[in-house]
Amino acid sequence: MKVAIIQEWLTSVGGSDKVVRAIFDLFPDAHIYTIVSKQNVCNELGIDYSIVHNSFIQKLPYGVSRYRTYLPLMPYAIEQFDLSSYDIIISSSHAVAKGVLTKSSQLHICYCHSPIRYAWDLYHEYIEDSGLKKGIRGLLAKYFLHRIRIWDVLSSFRVDEFVSNSNYVGNRIRKIYRRNSTTIYPCVDVKSFEIEILKDDYFLACSRLVSYKKIDLIVRAFNQLPDKNLIVIGDGPELKKIKALAKSNILMLGYQNKESLVYHLKKAKALVFAADEDFGIIPVEAQACGTPVIAYGVGGALETVIDKKTGVFFYEQTEGAIIKAIKEFEDIKFNPDEVRKNAERFSEKRFKDEFYSFVVNKYNEFGKV
């Protein structure tokens, strides 16, 4: 089988990039196609840069460093890849990767992290947070996102089989594309995280500091709990604003390397997680350390956290709901071994076994049609 793997971009090592690495492990002779990439990121992922094919956006001014500004060109760019020599196309898509052009004799499997969230369910939040509700820029942005939604639905017809990274995303695929999908949870490197029984006296929030992650909400809640300590790890456009909000019981560490992240996950009393996420890898990593999770009870968290056993849910994105959940958390005695065991459901080996079986079975069925 000749396999091509399509990813939107390889510019940092995030959850979708680790999925691509795991898929590449299954098909080590595959070629990888992406809109833009960084060689050092590919090296960190263990991907030979000579088999990575970039789109023309890579060579445009600031194409690699500010590639998101070229979003209007991305549907066109993804359609320019000539994949006619491959038997199987595997796209890892949260924006445009699934829109590659294939022939009727080629099997296209899309591992969908989500339909384009800022064009669909986060559209109004994105417009408001970006200051695009009014003016010429706002009008152009709204028109462009309208066109993206049309292309997004039309390009979904190019996929033969959808795999969703959670049942939550599977429901979104069904709502937007009117397509069924099979859920295969993404891989989490749980073996890199060791269980820690003795915890320190702090809670942890860890995320890129962007609005929908709701780190500011967590900070406001802890501002009302001066006897409880919070450490915040992460960088992003909201860093300055959140720093200004934080009182003396809150420590803002900014970006931290993996060793520091693992250490703080291991020693925290609990991870506080307030985002509406498609899956959410950091809550699984926390549980791999035996650290419970206080999570917003929506989306992927409902599939990765077990209420009252590996964490506690709150069901409104409000300061009061978070404070109530923290108090509820402190009345429960959690078993770190049980918390760790839950995380092991999302191991890399499990992902590879499930995904490889899915691809081979679908390819065999496809050949008989």
Side-chain angles (χ1 to χ4, degrees), residues 75-93:
Y76 175 75
I78 210 75
E79 292 176 348
Q80 303 314 302
F81 289 130
D82 181 4
L83 308 177
S84 57
S85 64
Y86 298 95
D87 302 306
I88 299 176
I89 315 301
I90 300 172
S91 56
S92 166
S93 183

Side-chain angles (χ1 to χ4, degrees), residues 199-264:
K199 304 294 187 181
D200 288 343
D201 187 24
Y202 67 86
F203 295 83
L204 179 69
C206 178
S207 170
R208 179 161 166 74
L209 302 184
V210 293
S211 62
Y212 88 93
K213 299 288 190 178
K214 303 297 182 185
I215 300 297
D216 60 330
L217 182 67
I218 298 171
V219 167
R220 287 191 178 97
F222 275 85
N223 280 344
Q224 299 177 49
L225 299 168
D227 59 326
K228 303 192 187 305
N229 299 312
L230 174 70
I231 292 178
V232 178
I233 290 177
D235 198 358
E238 295 216 321
L239 177 61
K240 186 177 180 180
K241 182 186 88 171
I242 295 171
K243 267 188 173 180
L245 286 174
K247 293 188 176 179
S248 59
N249 61 317
I250 299 167
L251 179 61
M252 303 287 298
L253 293 184
Y255 170 79
Q256 297 291 298
N257 61 28
K258 185 174 180 179
E259 289 79 15
S260 177
L261 172 62
V262 172
Y263 173 81
H264 286 94

Side-chain angles (χ1 to χ4, degrees), residues 10 15 17 31 35 92 109 131 145 155 266 272 335:
L10 290 168
D17 310 285
H31 287 183
I35 290 170
S92 166
I109 295 172
L145 289 171
S155 64
K266 286 168 63 174
V272 186
N335 182 340

